[in-house]
Amino acid sequence: MTLEEKIKMLNDYAIGWYSSSQADYTHEAIFRAQGFVKFADRCREEGDEELEEARKCTARVVSLGGQPAIGYVEQPLFCEIKDLLKDWDDGFKEFKGVERMENEIANLADDSITRKLLEGFIECEAEHRAWVAQHMGIIERIGYENYLTLQLGE
């Protein structure tokens, strides 16, 4: 992978994660206002993680001597937890982000820093994917209304 390709890849990830973190913080506000404090807290955690991933990409671009890019990727917003969970689950299947990162890692034999950065992102994505699957399973077992009761908090 050329230096220019690495910089573009990292900038693309940064823009995506900056955009996604903004959507997560907006979802936090939506669900907190509805009283679903536990789920809102999870949205905030997701936003924090994605913001940190974006910052790491930007820092790596700078360390490679590249120019950070600023942009925005349109994000859907949801007022129902089940719709956001489904969107997250569909996103894992549709965008194949982990598979794409694994392919990019294979092309980073000469850049252990960027490779380790992407490997860390894959770990975070796997944790998020497992959490979403677990919560979709809970909804399936106990029903959506009962799940919402579990998400209430003080």
Coordinates of all heavy atoms in Angstrom, one line a residue, residues 47-121:
G47 N -20.0 6.4 21.2 CA -19.6 7.7 20.7 C -18.2 8.0 21.1 O -17.3 8.4 20.3
D48 N -17.9 7.7 22.4 CA -16.5 8.0 22.9 C -15.5 7.1 22.2 O -14.4 7.6 21.8 CB -16.5 7.7 24.4 CG -17.2 8.7 25.2 OD1 -17.7 9.8 24.7 OD2 -17.5 8.5 26.4
E49 N -15.8 5.8 22.0 CA -14.9 4.9 21.4 C -14.7 5.3 19.9 O -13.5 5.3 19.4 CB -15.5 3.5 21.4 CG -15.4 2.8 22.7 CD -16.1 1.4 22.8 OE1 -16.3 0.9 21.7 OE2 -16.3 0.9 23.9
E50 N -15.7 5.7 19.2 CA -15.5 6.0 17.8 C -14.8 7.4 17.7 O -14.0 7.5 16.7 CB -16.9 6.1 17.1 CG -17.4 4.6 17.0 CD -18.8 4.5 16.3 OE1 -19.4 5.6 16.1 OE2 -19.2 3.4 16.0
L51 N -15.0 8.3 18.6 CA -14.3 9.5 18.6 C -12.8 9.3 18.8 O -12.0 9.9 18.1 CB -14.9 10.5 19.6 CG -14.2 11.9 19.6 CD1 -14.4 12.6 18.3 CD2 -14.9 12.7 20.8
E52 N -12.5 8.4 19.7 CA -11.1 8.1 20.0 C -10.5 7.4 18.8 O -9.3 7.6 18.4 CB -11.0 7.2 21.2 CG -9.6 6.9 21.6 CD -8.7 8.1 21.9 OE1 -9.2 9.2 22.3 OE2 -7.5 8.0 21.7
E53 N -11.2 6.5 18.1 CA -10.7 5.8 16.9 C -10.4 6.9 15.8 O -9.4 6.8 15.1 CB -11.7 4.8 16.4 CG -11.7 3.6 17.3 CD -12.8 2.6 17.0 OE1 -13.8 3.0 16.4 OE2 -12.7 1.4 17.5
A54 N -11.3 7.8 15.7 CA -11.1 8.9 14.7 C -9.9 9.7 15.0 O -9.1 10.0 14.1 CB -12.4 9.8 14.6
R55 N -9.7 10.0 16.3 CA -8.6 10.8 16.7 C -7.3 10.1 16.4 O -6.3 10.7 16.0 CB -8.7 11.2 18.1 CG -9.7 12.2 18.4 CD -9.8 12.4 19.9 NE -10.7 13.6 20.2 CZ -11.3 13.8 21.4 NH1 -11.1 13.0 22.4 NH2 -12.1 14.8 21.5
K56 N -7.3 8.8 16.6 CA -6.1 8.0 16.4 C -5.7 8.0 14.9 O -4.6 8.0 14.5 CB -6.2 6.5 16.9 CG -6.2 6.4 18.4 CD -6.4 5.0 18.8 CE -6.4 4.9 20.4 NZ -6.7 3.5 20.8
C57 N -6.8 7.9 14.1 CA -6.5 7.9 12.6 C -5.9 9.2 12.2 O -5.0 9.3 11.4 CB -7.8 7.6 11.8 SG -8.4 5.9 11.9
T58 N -6.5 10.3 12.7 CA -6.0 11.6 12.4 C -4.6 11.8 12.8 O -3.7 12.3 12.1 CB -6.9 12.7 13.0 OG1 -8.2 12.6 12.4 CG2 -6.4 14.1 12.7
A59 N -4.3 11.4 14.0 CA -2.9 11.5 14.5 C -1.9 10.7 13.7 O -0.8 11.1 13.4 CB -2.8 11.0 16.0
R60 N -2.4 9.5 13.2 CA -1.5 8.7 12.4 C -1.3 9.3 11.0 O -0.2 9.3 10.5 CB -2.1 7.3 12.2 CG -1.2 6.3 11.4 CD 0.1 6.0 12.1 NE 0.9 5.2 11.3 CZ 2.3 5.3 11.3 NH1 2.9 6.2 12.0 NH2 3.0 4.5 10.5
V61 N -2.3 10.0 10.5 CA -2.2 10.7 9.2 C -1.1 11.8 9.4 O -0.2 11.9 8.5 CB -3.5 11.3 8.7 CG1 -3.3 12.4 7.6 CG2 -4.5 10.2 8.3
V62 N -1.2 12.5 10.4 CA -0.2 13.6 10.7 C 1.2 13.0 10.9 O 2.2 13.5 10.3 CB -0.6 14.4 11.9 CG1 0.5 15.4 12.4 CG2 -1.9 15.2 11.7
S63 N 1.3 11.9 11.6 CA 2.6 11.3 11.8 C 3.2 10.7 10.5 O 4.5 10.7 10.4 CB 2.6 10.2 12.9 OG 1.9 9.1 12.4
L64 N 2.4 10.4 9.6 CA 2.9 9.9 8.3 C 3.2 11.1 7.3 O 3.6 10.9 6.2 CB 1.8 9.0 7.6 CG 1.6 7.7 8.2 CD1 0.4 7.0 7.6 CD2 2.9 6.8 8.0
G65 N 3.0 12.3 7.8 CA 3.3 13.5 7.0 C 2.1 13.9 6.1 O 2.3 14.7 5.2
G66 N 1.0 13.3 6.3 CA -0.2 13.6 5.5 C -1.0 14.8 6.0 O -0.8 15.3 7.1
Q67 N -2.0 15.2 5.2 CA -2.9 16.2 5.5 C -4.2 15.6 6.0 O -4.9 14.9 5.2 CB -3.2 17.1 4.3 CG -4.2 18.2 4.5 CD -3.7 19.3 5.5 OE1 -2.5 19.6 5.5 NE2 -4.5 19.8 6.3
P68 N -4.6 15.8 7.3 CA -5.9 15.3 7.7 C -7.1 15.9 6.9 O -7.0 17.0 6.4 CB -6.0 15.8 9.2 CG -4.6 16.1 9.6 CD -3.9 16.6 8.3
A69 N -8.1 15.1 6.7 CA -9.3 15.5 5.9 C -10.4 15.7 6.9 O -10.5 15.1 7.9 CB -9.6 14.5 4.9
I70 N -11.3 16.6 6.5 CA -12.5 16.9 7.3 C -13.6 16.6 6.3 O -13.7 17.0 5.2 CB -12.5 18.4 7.7 CG1 -11.4 18.6 8.7 CG2 -13.9 18.7 8.4 CD1 -11.2 20.0 9.2
G71 N -14.6 15.9 6.9 CA -15.8 15.6 6.1 C -16.9 15.0 7.0 O -16.8 15.0 8.2
Y72 N -18.0 14.6 6.4 CA -19.1 14.1 7.1 C -19.8 13.0 6.2 O -19.9 13.2 5.0 CB -20.1 15.2 7.5 CG -21.2 14.6 8.3 CD1 -21.1 14.4 9.7 CD2 -22.5 14.4 7.7 CE1 -22.1 13.9 10.4 CE2 -23.5 13.9 8.5 CZ -23.3 13.7 9.8 OH -24.4 13.2 10.6
V73 N -20.1 11.9 6.9 CA -20.9 10.8 6.2 C -22.3 10.9 6.9 O -22.4 10.8 8.1 CB -20.2 9.5 6.5 CG1 -21.1 8.4 5.8 CG2 -18.8 9.4 5.9
E74 N -23.3 11.1 6.1 CA -24.6 11.1 6.6 C -25.0 9.9 7.4 O -24.6 8.8 7.0 CB -25.6 11.2 5.4 CG -27.1 11.4 5.8 CD -27.6 12.8 5.7 OE1 -26.9 13.6 5.0 OE2 -28.6 13.1 6.3
Q75 N -25.6 10.1 8.6 CA -25.9 9.0 9.5 C -27.4 9.0 9.7 O -28.0 10.1 9.9 CB -25.2 9.2 10.8 CG -23.7 9.3 10.7 CD -23.1 8.0 10.4 OE1 -23.4 6.9 10.9 NE2 -22.2 8.0 9.4
P76 N -28.1 7.8 9.8 CA -29.5 7.8 10.1 C -29.7 8.0 11.6 O -28.8 7.7 12.4 CB -29.9 6.4 9.7 CG -28.7 5.6 9.8 CD -27.5 6.5 9.5
L77 N -30.8 8.5 12.0 CA -31.1 8.7 13.4 C -32.4 7.9 13.7 O -33.3 7.8 12.8 CB -31.3 10.2 13.8 CG -30.1 11.0 13.7 CD1 -30.4 12.5 14.0 CD2 -29.0 10.5 14.7
F78 N -32.5 7.3 14.9 CA -33.6 6.5 15.3 C -34.2 6.9 16.6 O -33.4 7.4 17.5 CB -33.2 5.0 15.3 CG -32.6 4.5 14.0 CD1 -31.3 4.5 13.8 CD2 -33.5 4.1 13.0 CE1 -30.7 4.1 12.6 CE2 -33.0 3.6 11.8 CZ -31.6 3.6 11.6
C79 N -35.5 6.8 16.8 CA -36.1 7.1 18.0 C -36.5 5.8 18.8 O -37.1 5.9 19.9 CB -37.4 8.0 17.8 SG -36.9 9.6 17.2
E80 N -36.3 4.7 18.2 CA -36.6 3.4 18.8 C -35.3 2.6 18.9 O -34.6 2.5 17.9 CB -37.6 2.6 18.0 CG -39.0 3.1 18.0 CD -39.7 2.9 19.3 OE1 -39.4 1.9 20.0 OE2 -40.7 3.7 19.6
I81 N -35.1 2.1 20.1 CA -33.8 1.3 20.3 C -33.8 0.1 19.4 O -32.7 -0.1 18.8 CB -33.8 0.8 21.8 CG1 -33.6 2.0 22.7 CG2 -32.7 -0.2 22.0 CD1 -33.7 1.7 24.2
K82 N -34.9 -0.6 19.1 CA -34.8 -1.8 18.3 C -34.4 -1.4 16.9 O -33.7 -2.2 16.2 CB -36.2 -2.5 18.3 CG -37.3 -1.7 17.7 CD -38.6 -2.5 17.7 CE -39.7 -1.6 17.1 NZ -41.0 -2.2 17.2
D83 N -34.8 -0.2 16.4 CA -34.4 0.2 15.1 C -32.9 0.5 15.0 O -32.2 0.2 14.0 CB -35.2 1.5 14.6 CG -36.7 1.1 14.5 OD1 -37.0 0.0 14.3 OD2 -37.5 2.1 14.7
L84 N -32.4 1.1 16.0 CA -30.9 1.4 16.0 C -30.1 0.1 16.1 O -29.2 -0.1 15.4 CB -30.6 2.3 17.2 CG -29.1 2.6 17.4 CD1 -28.5 3.3 16.1 CD2 -28.8 3.5 18.6
L85 N -30.6 -0.8 17.0 CA -29.9 -2.1 17.0 C -29.9 -2.8 15.7 O -28.9 -3.4 15.3 CB -30.5 -3.0 18.1 CG -30.2 -2.6 19.6 CD1 -31.1 -3.4 20.5 CD2 -28.8 -2.9 19.9
K86 N -31.1 -2.8 15.0 CA -31.2 -3.4 13.7 C -30.2 -2.7 12.7 O -29.6 -3.4 11.9 CB -32.6 -3.4 13.2 CG -32.7 -4.1 11.9 CD -34.2 -4.2 11.4 CE -34.4 -4.9 10.1 NZ -33.2 -5.1 9.2
D87 N -30.2 -1.4 12.8 CA -29.3 -0.7 11.9 C -27.8 -1.1 12.1 O -27.1 -1.3 11.2 CB -29.5 0.8 12.0 CG -28.6 1.6 11.1 OD1 -28.9 1.6 9.8 OD2 -27.7 2.2 11.5
W88 N -27.4 -1.2 13.4 CA -26.1 -1.6 13.7 C -25.8 -3.0 13.2 O -24.8 -3.2 12.6 CB -25.8 -1.5 15.2 CG -25.6 -0.1 15.8 CD1 -25.3 1.0 15.1 CD2 -25.7 0.2 17.1 NE1 -25.1 2.0 16.0 CE2 -25.4 1.6 17.2 CE3 -26.0 -0.5 18.3 CZ2 -25.3 2.3 18.4 CZ3 -25.9 0.2 19.5 CH2 -25.6 1.6 19.6
D89 N -26.8 -3.9 13.4 CA -26.6 -5.3 12.9 C -26.5 -5.3 11.4 O -25.6 -6.0 10.9 CB -27.7 -6.1 13.5 CG -27.5 -7.6 13.2 OD1 -26.4 -8.1 13.6 OD2 -28.4 -8.2 12.6
D90 N -27.4 -4.6 10.7 CA -27.4 -4.6 9.3 C -26.0 -4.0 8.8 O -25.5 -4.5 7.8 CB -28.5 -3.8 8.7 CG -29.9 -4.4 8.9 OD1 -29.9 -5.7 9.2 OD2 -30.9 -3.8 8.7
G91 N -25.5 -3.0 9.5 CA -24.3 -2.4 9.1 C -23.1 -3.3 9.1 O -22.2 -3.3 8.3
F92 N -23.1 -4.2 10.1 CA -22.0 -5.2 10.2 C -22.0 -6.1 9.0 O -21.0 -6.5 8.5 CB -22.2 -6.1 11.5 CG -22.1 -5.4 12.8 CD1 -23.0 -5.6 13.8 CD2 -21.1 -4.4 13.0 CE1 -22.9 -5.0 15.0 CE2 -21.0 -3.8 14.2 CZ -21.9 -4.1 15.2
K93 N -23.2 -6.5 8.6 CA -23.4 -7.4 7.4 C -23.1 -6.7 6.1 O -22.5 -7.2 5.2 CB -24.8 -8.0 7.4 CG -25.0 -8.9 8.7 CD -26.5 -9.3 8.8 CE -26.8 -10.0 10.1 NZ -28.2 -10.0 10.4
E94 N -23.7 -5.5 6.0 CA -23.6 -4.8 4.7 C -22.3 -4.2 4.4 O -21.8 -4.3 3.3 CB -24.7 -3.6 4.8 CG -24.8 -2.8 3.5 CD -25.8 -1.7 3.7 OE1 -26.7 -1.8 4.5 OE2 -25.6 -0.7 3.0
F95 N -21.6 -3.5 5.3 CA -20.4 -2.8 5.0 C -19.2 -3.7 5.1 O -18.1 -3.3 4.6 CB -20.3 -1.6 5.9 CG -21.4 -0.6 5.7 CD1 -22.3 -0.3 6.7 CD2 -21.6 0.0 4.4 CE1 -23.3 0.6 6.5 CE2 -22.7 0.9 4.3 CZ -23.5 1.2 5.3
K96 N -19.3 -4.8 5.8 CA -18.1 -5.7 5.9 C -16.9 -5.0 6.3 O -15.8 -5.2 5.7 CB -17.9 -6.4 4.6 CG -19.1 -7.3 4.1 CD -18.8 -8.1 2.9 CE -19.9 -8.9 2.3 NZ -21.0 -9.4 3.0
G97 N -17.0 -4.1 7.3 CA -15.9 -3.3 7.7 C -14.7 -4.1 8.2 O -13.6 -3.8 8.0
V98 N -15.0 -5.1 9.0 CA -13.9 -5.9 9.6 C -13.2 -6.6 8.4 O -12.0 -6.7 8.4 CB -14.5 -7.0 10.6 CG1 -13.4 -8.0 11.0 CG2 -15.0 -6.2 11.8
E99 N -13.9 -7.2 7.5 CA -13.3 -7.9 6.4 C -12.4 -6.9 5.6 O -11.3 -7.3 5.1 CB -14.3 -8.5 5.4 CG -15.1 -9.7 6.1 CD -16.3 -9.3 6.9 OE1 -16.5 -8.0 7.1 OE2 -17.0 -10.1 7.4
R100 N -12.9 -5.7 5.4 CA -12.1 -4.7 4.6 C -10.8 -4.4 5.4 O -9.7 -4.3 4.8 CB -12.9 -3.5 4.4 CG -12.2 -2.5 3.5 CD -13.1 -1.3 3.2 NE -13.2 -0.4 4.3 CZ -14.3 0.2 4.7 NH1 -15.4 0.1 4.1 NH2 -14.3 1.0 5.8
M101 N -11.0 -4.2 6.7 CA -9.8 -3.9 7.5 C -8.8 -5.0 7.5 O -7.6 -4.8 7.4 CB -10.2 -3.6 9.0 CG -10.6 -2.2 9.2 SD -10.8 -1.9 11.0 CE -12.2 -0.8 10.9
E102 N -9.3 -6.3 7.5 CA -8.4 -7.4 7.5 C -7.6 -7.4 6.2 O -6.4 -7.7 6.1 CB -9.1 -8.7 7.7 CG -9.6 -8.9 9.1 CD -10.6 -10.1 9.3 OE1 -11.2 -10.6 8.3 OE2 -10.7 -10.5 10.4
N103 N -8.3 -7.1 5.1 CA -7.6 -7.0 3.8 C -6.5 -5.9 3.7 O -5.5 -6.1 3.2 CB -8.6 -6.8 2.6 CG -9.4 -8.0 2.4 OD1 -9.0 -9.1 2.7 ND2 -10.6 -7.8 1.8
E104 N -6.9 -4.8 4.4 CA -5.9 -3.7 4.4 C -4.7 -4.0 5.3 O -3.6 -3.7 5.0 CB -6.6 -2.4 4.9 CG -7.6 -1.9 3.9 CD -8.6 -0.9 4.4 OE1 -8.9 -0.9 5.7 OE2 -9.2 -0.2 3.6
I105 N -5.0 -4.7 6.4 CA -3.9 -5.2 7.2 C -2.9 -6.0 6.5 O -1.7 -5.9 6.6 CB -4.4 -5.9 8.5 CG1 -5.1 -4.9 9.5 CG2 -3.3 -6.7 9.2 CD1 -5.9 -5.6 10.6
A106 N -3.4 -6.9 5.6 CA -2.6 -7.8 4.8 C -1.6 -6.9 3.9 O -0.6 -7.4 3.5 CB -3.4 -8.7 4.0
N107 N -2.0 -5.7 3.6 CA -1.2 -4.9 2.7 C -0.3 -3.9 3.5 O 0.2 -2.9 2.9 CB -2.1 -4.1 1.8 CG -2.8 -5.0 0.8 OD1 -2.1 -5.9 0.2 ND2 -4.0 -4.8 0.5
L108 N -0.2 -4.1 4.8 CA 0.5 -3.2 5.7 C 1.8 -3.9 6.3 O 2.2 -3.5 7.4 CB -0.4 -2.6 6.8 CG -1.4 -1.6 6.3 CD1 -2.4 -1.4 7.4 CD2 -0.8 -0.4 5.8
A109 N 2.3 -4.8 5.6 CA 3.5 -5.5 6.1 C 4.7 -4.6 6.5 O 5.4 -4.8 7.4 CB 4.0 -6.6 5.1
D110 N 4.7 -3.5 5.7 CA 5.8 -2.5 5.9 C 5.5 -1.4 7.0 O 6.3 -0.5 7.2 CB 6.2 -1.9 4.6 CG 5.1 -1.0 4.1 OD1 3.9 -1.3 4.3 OD2 5.4 0.0 3.4
D111 N 4.3 -1.5 7.6 CA 3.9 -0.4 8.5 C 3.2 -1.0 9.7 O 2.0 -1.1 9.8 CB 3.0 0.5 7.8 CG 2.5 1.7 8.6 OD1 2.8 1.8 9.8 OD2 1.9 2.6 8.0
S112 N 4.0 -1.4 10.7 CA 3.5 -2.1 11.9 C 2.6 -1.2 12.7 O 1.7 -1.7 13.4 CB 4.6 -2.7 12.7 OG 5.4 -1.7 13.2
I113 N 2.9 0.1 12.7 CA 2.1 1.0 13.5 C 0.6 1.1 13.0 O -0.3 0.9 13.8 CB 2.7 2.4 13.6 CG1 4.1 2.3 14.3 CG2 1.8 3.4 14.3 CD1 4.9 3.5 14.2
T114 N 0.5 1.3 11.7 CA -0.9 1.4 11.1 C -1.5 0.0 11.2 O -2.7 -0.1 11.5 CB -0.8 1.9 9.7 OG1 -0.1 3.1 9.7 CG2 -2.2 2.0 9.1
R115 N -0.8 -1.0 11.0 CA -1.4 -2.4 11.1 C -1.9 -2.6 12.5 O -3.0 -3.1 12.7 CB -0.3 -3.4 10.7 CG -0.9 -4.8 10.6 CD 0.2 -5.9 10.2 NE 1.2 -6.1 11.3 CZ 2.5 -5.7 11.2 NH1 2.9 -5.2 10.1 NH2 3.3 -5.9 12.2
K116 N -1.1 -2.3 13.6 CA -1.6 -2.5 14.9 C -2.8 -1.6 15.2 O -3.7 -2.0 16.0 CB -0.5 -2.2 15.9 CG 0.6 -3.3 15.9 CD 1.7 -3.1 16.9 CE 2.7 -4.2 16.8 NZ 3.9 -4.0 17.6
L117 N -2.8 -0.4 14.7 CA -4.0 0.4 14.8 C -5.3 -0.2 14.3 O -6.3 -0.3 15.0 CB -3.7 1.8 14.1 CG -4.6 2.9 14.4 CD1 -4.5 3.4 15.8 CD2 -4.2 4.1 13.4
L118 N -5.2 -0.8 13.1 CA -6.3 -1.4 12.5 C -6.7 -2.7 13.3 O -7.9 -3.0 13.4 CB -6.1 -1.8 11.0 CG -6.0 -0.6 10.1 CD1 -5.8 -1.1 8.6 CD2 -7.1 0.4 10.2
E119 N -5.7 -3.4 13.8 CA -6.0 -4.6 14.5 C -6.8 -4.2 15.8 O -7.7 -5.0 16.2 CB -4.7 -5.3 14.9 CG -4.1 -6.0 13.7 CD -2.7 -6.5 13.9 OE1 -2.1 -6.2 15.0 OE2 -2.2 -7.3 13.1
G120 N -6.4 -3.1 16.4 CA -7.2 -2.7 17.6 C -8.6 -2.3 17.3 O -9.5 -2.5 18.0
F121 N -8.8 -1.7 16.1 CA -10.1 -1.3 15.6 C -11.0 -2.6 15.4 O -12.2 -2.6 15.8 CB -10.1 -0.5 14.4 CG -9.4 0.8 14.5 CD1 -8.9 1.4 13.3 CD2 -9.3 1.5 15.7 CE1 -8.2 2.7 13.4 CE2 -8.6 2.7 15.8 CZ -8.1 3.3 14.6

